[in-house]
Amino acid sequence: MNLEEVSINMDKGHADSHPLLDKHGSNTQENYINCTYNASNTVHSTKLHVTVQGDRARSHSIVTFHDVGLNSVSNFAALMNSEPMAPVIQKYCIYHIDAPGQEENASALPAGYVYPSMENLSDMLPTVFSHFGLKSAICVGCGAGANVFIRFAMKNPNMVEGLIVTNPSISTVGNLSWIGEKISNITTPFTDQVMNYHFTKSEVELVNHELLDNHRKHFKQFMNADNVSLFMKEYDRRAEVSLVRSPDPQLIDKTTLSCQTIILVGDLSPFVDDAVELNSRLNPKKTTFLKMADAGGMILEEQIFKVAESITYFLQGLGHTVRFPMRGTVPGVMMTRLARSRTISSSSGDGDHKRIRTLSSDSTGASPTHQPINGEKPLAQTDKTHLVSEAVC
């Protein structure tokens, strides 16, 4: 495996060396990129760890950013190394960004380190793009990473070809929620605090416990808890992302995201309400909302096949040539849902748009059945012109 260690700043680059643990496959390169940011009227510097997976000569690129308590390995490796994602991996070069101090076996951040805010992190992304010569890319973010990419897409719309977000949140943490969380965390070990962030009580009861145990072991073995604590505290202090769905079609791309976006969330996820809130603020003509059954906060691992399928058809909707691998009988409802949501025009208000319209299929992959909402006309299964903007898988 050829490891390329690079450290750059805004003016010039120089060599840097760190031992790295690679779990993104054999064809990867590791990079450390120096970035600057302003906090409390003081300029700080930090490093972003970036793992390059695949051939940089490929015409299209994907950039990922992970959630709190995870990193590029624990958040994306299971999905990216899966068989259903193979066609994507073969056609795209993937750049996995780790927030400062969140990579595998990271050294402790220095004493007095001021952790960058979500806004600061989003402002660092143009430096990363510039270093690798990226003019634009597909951005894939989870949780905190989704928040960072949403900010980035608002400020740099021409650099985002498409946005894929899971468990997104654009709101602040309420004061009462923050106080209650602080009180409950006094006696809770930090590892359990991180697990409680990703898993709900119902998830622990219904979802395979092996997934939770694996993430707990990974966190204890590979993550620096002090570094993660700094990242989590900064995410808790995040400012709201100002997105407004303007009723004026001439202004909507200026007040909310202008890029094609797909929102993925599990029906047991702690972030369902946050995902619905984001969906209500985006352009319905450019947004796909998918809530997947039997999945929680770790949807990228719990529903790999469905996530890979939805990503594949999302990329196809952008005009990219990607074929989804046929594995026996492939559930045939996802492409229809994405095709429908790609062209729908919604005239309802925000309240109506928050409603999740359900499309369900049986285990044999039969055609989905639309559930009427508030007296609306039933949708015939063969009707290709009546479209819906949200779906439950």
Side-chain angles (χ1 to χ4, degrees):
M1 177 178 62
N2 179 26
L3 296 184
E4 176 193 2
E5 301 290 350
V6 178
S7 177
I8 68 167
N9 53 39
M10 298 299 290
D11 301 316
K12 61 182 180 179
H14 58 84
D16 194 13
S17 179
H18 281 273
L20 298 169
L21 178 61
D22 171 36
K23 292 185 179 180
H24 286 293
S26 58
N27 185 23
T28 60
Q29 295 176 332
E30 307 286 349
N31 304 266
Y32 281 94
I33 300 180
N34 281 357
C35 299
T36 59
Y37 58 102
N38 191 303
S40 302
N41 297 321
T42 302
V43 177
H44 302 269
S45 62
T46 192
K47 292 181 179 180
L48 290 181
H49 174 262
V50 182
T51 304
V52 182
Q53 181 179 7
D55 186 353
R56 289 177 55 186
R58 291 169 182 164
S59 58
H60 292 293
S61 302
I62 292 175
V63 181
T64 74
F65 206 117
H66 60 88
D67 200 358
V68 169
L70 305 173
N71 57 27
S72 63
V73 171
S74 56
N75 208 156
F76 296 107
L79 174 67
M80 295 300 179
N81 294 333
S82 67
E83 181 181 352
M85 281 293 288
V88 175
I89 300 301
Q90 293 167 4
K91 287 182 174 290
Y92 293 77
C93 183
I94 305 176
Y95 300 82
H96 300 283
I97 300 176
D98 287 308
Q102 309 303 306
E103 66 271 19
E104 305 276 89
N105 299 319
S107 301
L109 294 169
Y113 180 86
V114 178
Y115 209 89
S117 66
M118 300 302 105
E119 198 72 29
N120 292 148
L121 290 171
S122 69
D123 289 336
M124 297 177 192
L125 297 183
T127 302
V128 176
F129 276 53
S130 177
H131 172 58
F132 293 109
L134 303 179
K135 294 183 179 180
S136 63
I138 305 296
C139 296
V140 182
C142 183
N147 186 281
V148 170
F149 274 139
I150 291 168
R151 296 172 190 272
F152 174 66
M154 280 296 293
K155 291 178 287 188
N156 305 276
N158 294 332
M159 300 180 76
V160 182
E161 295 179 47
L163 181 62
I164 302 170
V165 292
T166 64
N167 300 330
S169 177
I170 58 173
S171 303
T172 59
V173 178
N175 289 333
L176 292 178
S177 298
W178 185 85
I179 293 173
E181 181 179 314
K182 293 303 177 185
I183 293 175
S184 64
N185 284 344
I186 292 176
T187 58
T188 305
F190 184 64
T191 300
D192 291 337
Q193 293 179 34
V194 174
M195 296 303 107
N196 291 339
Y197 166 78
H198 290 290
F199 297 91
T200 64
K201 182 179 179 181
S202 60
E203 271 190 280
V204 174
E205 297 173 350
L206 297 176
V207 180
N208 190 347
H209 289 271
E210 183 179 357
L211 180 61
L212 187 147
D213 292 339
N214 286 342
H215 275 282
R216 179 181 282 111
K217 291 176 182 177
H218 178 274
F219 183 87
K220 290 181 177 180
Q221 184 174 357
F222 296 111
M223 302 292 287
N224 185 300
D226 292 335
N227 294 354
V228 175
S229 177
L230 291 174
F231 186 23
M232 177 172 282
K233 289 177 180 177
E234 198 56 49
Y235 186 49
D236 282 346
R237 290 193 287 260
R238 65 187 180 273
E240 181 173 351
V241 184
S242 180
L243 297 177
V244 178
R245 184 199 294 175
S246 173
D248 186 346
Q250 302 298 322
L251 296 177
I252 191 168
D253 280 348
K254 297 180 180 180
T255 60
T256 190
L257 297 180
S258 60
C259 62
Q260 295 289 343
T261 304
I262 182 169
I263 303 171
L264 304 174
V265 68
D267 62 347
L268 296 176
S269 171
F271 311 100
V272 171
D273 291 342
D274 295 303
V276 171
E277 175 63 24
L278 171 62
N279 186 48
S280 72
R281 299 195 194 184
L282 300 185
N283 187 341
K285 292 184 179 181
K286 297 183 178 181
T287 306
T288 300
F289 184 98
L290 292 177
K291 188 170 81 165
M292 297 187 179
D294 302 321
M298 296 295 182
I299 188 174
L300 300 185
E301 295 173 72
E302 295 171 283
Q303 293 290 353
I304 287 179
F305 189 79
K306 287 183 178 180
V307 169
E309 188 181 18
S310 62
I311 290 176
T312 299
Y313 293 128
F314 177 73
L315 296 175
Q316 288 181 356
L318 298 177
H320 297 194
T321 305
V322 185
R323 292 183 179 274
F324 190 74
M326 294 299 179
R327 185 187 66 178
T329 303
V330 179
V333 299
M334 185 70 70
M335 181 166 60
T336 303
R337 293 169 182 167
L338 290 175
R340 287 172 171 172
S341 62
R342 184 66 58 219
T343 56
I344 181 172
S345 175
S346 174
S347 60
S348 61
D350 285 356
D352 289 335
H353 195 72
K354 288 182 182 179
R355 297 178 305 178
I356 298 175
R357 306 182 181 186
T358 303
L359 290 172
S360 60
S361 62
D362 58 29
S363 59
T364 62
S367 298
T369 302
H370 179 66
Q371 303 298 327
I373 298 178
N374 291 348
E376 67 181 5
K377 295 181 179 180
L379 171 63
Q381 296 183 19
T382 58
D383 185 358
K384 300 299 183 181
T385 60
H386 189 107
L387 308 173
V388 296
S389 59
E390 296 103 359
V392 176
C393 309

